[in-house]
Amino acid sequence: MPLSVVVASPGDHAPVHHSHVPWSRTVIYEAHVRGLTKQLEALPEDLRGTYAGLAHPATVAHLKDLGITALELLPIHASVPEPHLVAKGLDNYWGYSTIGFFAPHAAYATQAAQDAGASAVLDEVRGMVHLLHEAGIEVILDVVYNHTGEAGDDGPHLSFRGFDDTSYYAHDDADPVRYADVTGTGNTLDLTHPRVVQLALDSLRYWAQEVGVDGFRFDLAVTLGRRPQGFDPDHPFLVALQTDPVLSGLKLVAEPWDVGMGGWQTGNFPAPMGEWNDRFRDAVRQFWLSDPKEASHGRGTAGVRELATRLAGSADLFGHGRMPLARGPVASINMVTAHDGFTMADLVAFDHKHNEANGEDGRDGSNDNRSWNHGVEDHVEETDDPLDPAGEIAPLRRRSIRNLLATLLLSAGTPMITAGDEMGRTQRGNNNAYCQDNEISWVDWDLAPWRKDLLDTTRYLLELRRAHRALRADSFFLGLPRHTVSTAVPDLVWFGSKGKMLDHAGWNDHARRTVQMLRTGPADGAHDVLLVLNGSLDDAIVRLAGLEVAGSERPSGWRLVWDSDWEHPADRHEDPETEVVGVGSKVVLEPLSTRVYVSV
């Protein structure tokens, strides 16, 4: 039976300081404490895979150089592996199996801290948070208040089950001796009980005030807002998050679903919460991967309407509520990948999941991956053989990754990068690596040349995002002039390939695969930005769009600043099209490519 340890009140640790980076400037990096640095040779061996390793200058330098403002950590609350994993010699690597909401998972601390005891482990966590704050990086914890590690009715008695089973857990109304399970784990914490709500809130305040974390991502957050009749955005727990003087000012993010009835609630959480946007994930994968795969077999595609809605901040999901449009596009946590699913490099290399290492005969993991292997299953190595198909497939895959990254990082909303995607990490086709505490899950820092190029490309795209306010919208686009600028131009306009504004027929044309998104500068002197996307399998001739303002064109010209056809950002210096071209100029886009133009 695990025992709790009472630690002394902190006396000499650094004062907690929250930097409160605005959502419009936030870039989230989702990582696992152990997996991020376990193979980082720049760290001393005893720090790899630890809290201290996360705060090492080499790790911090990577995050800072990349442009990350918030590090979101997979669960670090004390957890245990499920019995069926132990029987297979596996572990719950992700840690979504909590047994203690006030204690850090000791196995992520350095051996020296573990040997010194619980206080030393906690001090290492505090030190990690403090050093990340000094580097200007916020810390968000992934927290699991929807269930505990005691599993189902036949699971072990570890903490809450032995303490007060009927109060802490929801039970099946039709068979009260059995647990209700809307989490898929065998049990569900009962957040209709005041003491369970108090437990969760006390835990959150502890991590915010005593440890110093800056926010929380709530796993299966619909469970936290359930009443007997279903999900309620006015649930006492959610109201407390909005009103608590400690918690309401932090970054709060919901995973807006669970596996119960009415479990999909994306867009229905109250402000100030952000939400993981699965509709963004699916639309981006559909446009750049699933649709081209279908088109390569002569089948139809889905057009540009859904993707355009996601590019513009998903107002259909986050624009309603008591105060329409008040949450803004930053409430949408945009993602193409997360810890759960394929990595970005695997999305372009596998049509099917390969989860054999999990010991479940491939039954686990999602089958709805919307991936495309570009003709050959698994990763390929390019050779000098002109007949080797890898010579054609590998460059196409790299361009597809760059398209996915650009759409993620330049869309309206809050981007979230999964650790390692910026440098082509693979999980060998495993899309459910929850039990793989090994090289399948750990970030590989030994970078081949193409992976170094991808890392530089990610840095460059985030630099573009920081440099141009038009790419960091904090309010929804209305298609109308802003009051903050002297020139009466719409904040957002959509165009087709011929430079004409899209009409109703254009939006509903499923065969349309080319679109231009013109986002005007939100202040006098701010640049306009034009995103041009070609999602077809053929070259696209595009007449660059512009706006008629007082008898003249705005902008006066466009400069190409990025093209997904470039293997490295430095390729722009060799591209003659980076010279200034006028509005209405014809340009040719490669198949399946993205271009970014900035006004001059």
Side-chain angles (χ1 to χ4, degrees):
M1 178 68 66
L3 301 177
S4 297
V5 177
V6 178
V7 298
S9 299
D12 57 356
H13 71 81
V16 169
H17 172 72
H18 300 292
S19 55
H20 298 293
V21 176
W23 275 110
S24 62
R25 294 206 294 269
T26 295
V27 178
I28 298 173
Y29 189 83
E30 189 201 34
H32 188 285
V33 170
R34 181 169 167 81
L36 182 59
T37 64
K38 184 62 179 174
Q39 299 189 102
L40 182 53
E41 293 186 358
L43 270 60
E45 190 168 352
D46 61 324
L47 298 188
R48 297 174 194 169
T50 68
Y51 299 117
L54 275 184
H56 187 275
T59 314
V60 172
H62 176 77
L63 298 174
K64 290 291 290 181
D65 290 347
L66 195 58
I68 300 303
T69 71
L71 179 62
E72 181 178 307
L73 298 177
L74 268 67
I76 68 169
H77 287 167
S79 63
V80 293
E82 291 83 346
H84 78 275
L85 291 178
V86 175
K88 297 176 182 177
L90 300 172
D91 193 6
N92 189 325
Y93 169 70
W94 287 349
Y96 290 93
S97 192
T98 307
I99 59 169
F101 295 110
F102 293 83
H105 194 56
Y108 297 156
T110 57
Q111 190 60 53
Q114 293 182 53
D115 294 343
S119 293
V121 171
L122 183 59
D123 285 342
E124 185 173 317
V125 177
R126 286 196 186 104
M128 170 195 74
V129 173
H130 176 70
L131 290 173
L132 287 168
H133 283 175
E134 285 194 330
I137 299 171
E138 295 181 304
V139 179
I140 298 172
L141 297 188
D142 195 335
V143 288
V144 188
Y145 297 112
N146 57 76
H147 74 280
T148 69
E150 279 138 308
D153 300 302
D154 59 348
H157 286 61
L158 297 175
S159 55
F160 298 101
R161 170 177 282 167
F163 181 57
D164 190 352
D165 180 80
T166 57
S167 293
Y168 280 99
Y169 295 99
H171 289 73
D172 190 335
D173 291 338
D175 188 4
V177 301
R178 303 186 67 84
Y179 285 142
D181 181 15
V182 297
T183 64
T185 65
N187 70 73
T188 303
L189 283 171
D190 185 2
L191 274 91
T192 65
H193 195 293
R195 294 287 77 81
V196 181
V197 172
Q198 181 184 9
L199 168 72
L201 293 173
D202 285 349
S203 170
L204 291 168
R205 294 189 197 100
Y206 171 79
W207 287 93
Q209 292 180 297
E210 299 297 335
V211 182
V213 302
D214 305 280
F216 303 93
R217 179 267 188 188
F218 296 93
D219 179 65
L220 299 182
V222 171
T223 301
L224 311 181
R226 280 191 177 273
R227 293 181 183 271
Q229 66 272 24
F231 176 74
D232 179 8
D234 292 324
H235 186 284
F237 178 73
L238 300 181
V239 171
L241 293 181
Q242 299 174 73
T243 58
D244 186 275
V246 173
L247 303 176
S248 61
L250 302 180
K251 285 187 166 65
L252 307 175
V253 178
E255 182 185 36
W257 49 79
D258 65 15
V259 300
M261 292 292 290
W264 187 79
Q265 296 290 334
T266 304
N268 292 331
F269 280 78
M273 298 188 79
E275 301 176 42
W276 275 22
N277 190 346
D278 55 319
R279 290 277 295 275
F280 181 95
R281 174 199 65 204
D282 292 348
V284 175
R285 294 186 184 189
Q286 184 76 35
F287 185 83
W288 289 118
L289 301 176
S290 295
D291 280 354
K293 178 168 66 174
E294 292 300 300
S296 69
H297 294 287
R299 294 189 282 265
T301 58
V304 300
R305 185 171 64 180
E306 176 71 9
L307 179 69
T309 303
R310 306 305 147 216
L311 282 166
S314 298
D316 61 328
L317 298 175
F318 303 102
H320 55 79
R322 289 192 178 93
M323 297 178 64
L325 306 181
R327 297 177 73 186
V330 293
S332 173
I333 308 301
N334 294 338
M335 58 177 185
V336 175
T337 66
H339 66 274
D340 186 2
F342 278 146
T343 67
M344 203 171 284
D346 286 353
L347 278 174
V348 305
F350 295 94
D351 277 357
H352 310 286
K353 63 187 180 184
H354 295 267
N355 297 355
E356 293 79 11
N358 296 354
E360 299 181 41
D361 297 323
R363 294 186 300 271
D364 64 306
S366 175
N367 292 315
D368 182 19
N369 296 296
R370 307 190 190 206
S371 59
W372 181 28
N373 66 17
H374 293 70
V376 175
E377 189 77 353
D378 208 342
H379 294 279
V380 296
E381 295 290 338
E382 292 181 82
T383 68
D384 295 330
D385 184 353
L387 300 179
D388 186 351
E392 293 186 7
I393 291 174
L396 293 177
R397 287 178 173 177
R398 295 196 293 269
R399 186 192 300 167
S400 289
I401 295 175
R402 293 191 292 269
N403 285 326
L404 295 172
L405 273 172
T407 308
L408 170 65
L409 301 180
L410 304 182
S411 292
T414 303
M416 185 185 82
I417 301 170
T418 306
D421 274 352
E422 74 278 15
M423 44 191 173
R425 181 176 77 92
T426 177
Q427 290 183 170
R428 307 171 193 170
N430 193 320
N431 75 347
N432 189 36
Y434 76 104
C435 56
Q436 299 299 324
D437 186 6
N438 50 49
E439 290 85 355
I440 291 176
S441 295
W442 301 339
V443 174
D444 178 10
W445 294 85
D446 184 12
L447 303 187
W450 77 267
R451 296 181 64 199
K452 293 178 182 177
D453 290 346
L454 183 62
L455 177 57
D456 288 341
T457 294
T458 308
R459 290 191 186 112
Y460 180 75
L461 289 171
L462 283 171
E463 287 174 5
L464 284 179
R465 182 182 179 90
R466 289 194 302 274
H468 299 291
R469 290 187 57 188
L471 295 173
R472 293 184 280 108
D474 53 9
S475 59
F476 285 115
F477 299 107
L478 301 177
L480 300 171
R482 298 181 181 87
H483 69 279
T484 55
V485 295
S486 56
T487 305
V489 293
D491 51 11
L492 170 64
V493 190
W494 297 94
F495 299 88
S497 59
K498 296 182 179 179
K500 303 293 185 183
M501 292 185 189
L502 279 183
D503 56 15
H504 179 77
W507 282 120
N508 290 282
D509 180 2
H510 287 188
R512 179 177 295 278
R513 301 293 296 166
T514 305
V515 67
Q516 300 186 71
M517 181 187 194
L518 174 54
R519 293 155 70 167
T520 57
D524 289 335
H527 289 284
D528 301 337
V529 177
L530 182 68
L531 271 63
V532 188
L533 288 74
N534 176 25
S536 71
L537 298 177
D538 301 308
D539 289 348
I541 299 175
V542 176
R543 187 182 295 274
L544 297 181
L547 296 169
E548 184 75 20
V549 181
S552 62
E553 291 282 357
R554 175 177 172 173
S556 58
W558 292 113
R559 185 188 303 277
L560 177 64
V561 295
W562 188 74
D563 189 329
S564 64
D565 191 44
W566 300 343
E567 292 279 0
H568 188 276
D571 291 350
R572 66 189 298 253
H573 301 302
E574 302 172 6
D575 192 329
E577 293 198 38
T578 57
E579 299 300 319
V580 175
V581 295
V583 169
S585 298
K586 287 185 178 181
V587 298
V588 179
L589 270 70
E590 294 286 328
L592 300 177
S593 63
T594 305
R595 284 190 176 185
V596 183
Y597 289 89
V598 171
S599 63
V600 294

